[in-house]
């Protein structure tokens, strides 16, 4: 195709998105659209998969059967979300194995929030309430994104995500209303997860390199700073409700803006964790790569069994 | 060469009376495993009463680049629609 033809196709393509038409896998798309979607969607899938690890830590130590079945179901949902997203990404022409390879070699990123440790049971509450809360804010606008398979996966994910946040908040509420020791656990978890949750919504707008293009493709509907403000405004009253204190001395209601003002975010910490120097980056990758390697014989055995059965049926038929 | 689990397309009937609808895809070693995985991945909350799985390579799809010759011929066949026919305004039951 000549450059001019490609240019024409691109103009038509952008007009389709402008008209809110969806792009489907076999439609023509600019190479950059494909690459950007592979990057963002696989990163999203990886985050769901790695996101199971910090919580998996507490399944066997949940304080009651009720908490245990709920946490188990939540972690299973995350596996499911990872799978929806991986298969949606595969429609763009990348194989599952290639994506795993990128994750395992560190070429692909996942959400840096999962590189923080889960030290107490209260962390299960804080993760559900804050991390899933921030994730919902990020994900709801994606239900309307331009790439059909991604939008459909996100609709399913968002439907399931609200249970995650509610189970987390309920854990926090129970602890906050418990003994003084329990309340301390809840406050300590909030103190540790608050700032990383704010960072999770992405770098400041002026440092976010992909925003403009992503907005055009509806891969992003609101800027990182707007999402962050929305998260703070809706979370602060929830903390007040259960008597916990947001660990930010500069947090103050701004009547004029109708929003909370908040203190500076430690972006050095954010970039350190993104670059692999967070408290648990190595541990997470070790667990993930280990699981993949240890599962290899199972995958091979399943293929061998499937082939044997297929041959058996074939011989019968002959 | 190392063999990977093939890709399967999953179709779910949400309730009797409705058709099966495409829900997504997954990898599995064989059809039985594809069904079981589909149960866990796509119907954790009673989303279905019946599942079909078909290996993706067995599905033949039309190419959107050929949409013109494939679908446009239907556009000039307005006589296939009831509104094409001129009838008196006061006619009933038609």
């Amino acid at each position: 195709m000549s450059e001019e033809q490609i240019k024409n196709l691109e103009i038509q393509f952008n007009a389709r998105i402008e008209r809110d038409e969806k792009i489907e896998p076999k439609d023509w798309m600019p190479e950059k659209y494909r690459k950007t979607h592979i990057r963002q969607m696989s990163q999203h899938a990886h985050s769901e998969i790695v996101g199971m690890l910090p919580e998996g830590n507490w399944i066997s130590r949940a304080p009651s059967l009720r908490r245990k079945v709920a946490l188990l179901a939540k972690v299973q949902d995350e596996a499911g979300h990872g799978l929806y997203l991986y298969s949606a990404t595969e429609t763009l022409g990348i194989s599952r194995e290639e994506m795993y390879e990128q994750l395992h070699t560190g070429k692909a990123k996942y959400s840096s929030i999962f590189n923080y440790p889960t030290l107490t049971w209260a962390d299960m509450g804080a993760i559900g309430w804050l991390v899933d809360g921030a994730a919902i804010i990020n994900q709801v606008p994606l239900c309307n994104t331009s790439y059909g398979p991604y939008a459909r996966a996100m609709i399913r994910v968002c439907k399931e995500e609200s249970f995650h946040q509610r189970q987390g908040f309920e854990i926090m509420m129970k602890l906050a209303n418990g003994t003084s020791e329990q309340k301390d656990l809840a406050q300590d978890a909030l103190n540790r997860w608050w700032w990383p949750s704010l960072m999770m919504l992405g770098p400041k707008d002026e440092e976010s390199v992909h925003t403009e293009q992503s907005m055009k493709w509806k891969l992003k509907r609101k800027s990182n700073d707007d999402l962050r403000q929305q998260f703070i405004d809706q979370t602060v009253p929830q903390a007040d409700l259960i008597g916990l204190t947001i660990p930010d001395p500069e947090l103050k209601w701004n009547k004029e803006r109708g929003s909370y003002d908040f203190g500076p975010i430690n972006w050095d910490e954010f970039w350190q964790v993104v670059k692999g120097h967070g408290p648990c980056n190595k541990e997470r990758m070790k667990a993930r790569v280990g699981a993949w390697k240890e599962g290899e014989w199972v995958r091979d055995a399943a293929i061998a069994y499937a082939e044997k059965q297929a041959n058996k049926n074939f011989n019968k038929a002959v | 060469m190392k063999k990977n689990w093939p890709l399967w397309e999953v179709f779910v009937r949400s309730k009797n009376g409705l058709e099966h609808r495409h829900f997504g895809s997954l990898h599995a070693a064989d059809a039985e495993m594809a069904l079981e995985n589909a149960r866990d991945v796509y119907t954790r909350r009673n989303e279905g009463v019946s599942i079909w799985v078909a290996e993706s390579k067995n599905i033949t799809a039309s190419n959107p680049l050929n949409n013109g010759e494939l679908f446009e011929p239907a556009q000039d066949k307005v006589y296939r629609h009831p509104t094409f026919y001129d009838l008196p305004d006061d006619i009933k039951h038609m």
Side-chain angles (χ1 to χ4, degrees), chain A residues 33-180:
Chain A
Y33 181 91
R34 183 188 304 278
K35 286 214 171 101
T36 304
H37 277 75
I38 289 178
R39 197 194 65 236
Q40 177 167 330
M41 290 166 67
S42 65
Q43 198 167 309
H44 197 159
H46 298 326
S47 300
E48 297 283 355
I49 297 303
V50 178
M52 291 192 280
L53 297 170
E55 290 175 312
N57 190 29
W58 283 92
I59 292 174
S60 61
R61 287 177 280 169
S64 69
L65 186 58
R66 184 177 188 272
R67 296 286 178 219
K68 188 173 183 163
V69 290
L71 185 58
L72 205 53
K74 177 180 192 282
V75 172
Q76 196 191 7
D77 273 353
E78 274 146 16
H81 296 175
L83 292 174
Y84 307 153
L85 287 161
Y86 278 132
S87 62
T89 316
E90 278 172 84
T91 63
L92 289 162
I94 185 172
S95 72
R96 184 75 60 98
E97 290 68 34
E98 225 174 320
M99 284 188 270
Y100 287 161
E101 174 77 13
Q102 291 178 351
L103 173 66
H104 296 164
T105 55
K107 194 183 160 219
K109 301 266 179 254
Y110 54 88
S111 183
S112 59
I113 191 106
F114 302 118
N115 291 315
Y116 289 87
T118 44
L119 305 177
T120 74
W121 170 251
D123 289 8
M124 295 306 100
I127 287 180
W129 173 32
L130 303 172
V131 177
D132 288 276
I136 291 172
I137 284 187
N138 241 331
Q139 288 167 349
V140 167
L142 288 174
C143 295
N144 256 321
T145 191
S146 63
Y147 189 54
Y150 195 23
R152 291 192 286 275
M154 290 321 298
I155 289 169
R156 202 167 289 129
V157 168
C158 286
K159 260 190 211 158
E160 299 179 353
E161 203 80 51
S162 98
F163 132 65
H164 298 180
Q165 197 190 14
R166 293 174 73 126
Q167 71 90 36
F169 189 74
E170 197 195 71
I171 292 172
M172 285 306 251
M173 189 174 68
K174 264 271 159 37
L175 290 171
N177 293 330
T179 63
S180 74

Side-chain angles (χ1 to χ4, degrees), chain B residues 20-89:
Chain B
H20 286 76
R21 199 164 59 81
H22 185 236
F23 261 46
S25 50
L26 49 76
H27 289 269
D30 56 27
E32 196 187 337
M33 187 195 279
L35 263 186
E36 283 165 2
N37 288 359
R39 196 273 313 260
D40 288 342
V41 177
Y42 292 106
T43 63
R44 286 192 302 282
R45 288 177 177 77
N46 295 318
E47 288 93 337
V49 294
S50 162
I51 303 175
W52 290 346
V53 291
E55 218 181 310
S56 312
K57 68 171 188 203
N58 293 329
I59 291 180
T60 309
S62 66
N63 185 340
L65 285 176
N66 304 333
N67 273 9
E69 62 222 61
L70 212 54
F71 300 114
E72 268 165 27
Q75 278 173 16
D76 53 22
K77 295 184 175 58
V78 280
Y79 46 85
R80 284 186 171 146
H81 298 278
T83 46
F84 176 75
Y85 298 92
D86 295 324
L87 294 179
D89 287 344

Side-chain angles (χ1 to χ4, degrees), chain B residues 6-26:
Chain B
L7 189 66
W8 300 75
E9 299 302 321
V10 179
F11 303 83
V12 177
R13 185 200 296 286
S14 328
K15 60 176 190 184
N16 275 9
L18 294 178
E19 62 279 73
H20 286 76
R21 199 164 59 81
H22 185 236
F23 261 46
S25 50
L26 49 76

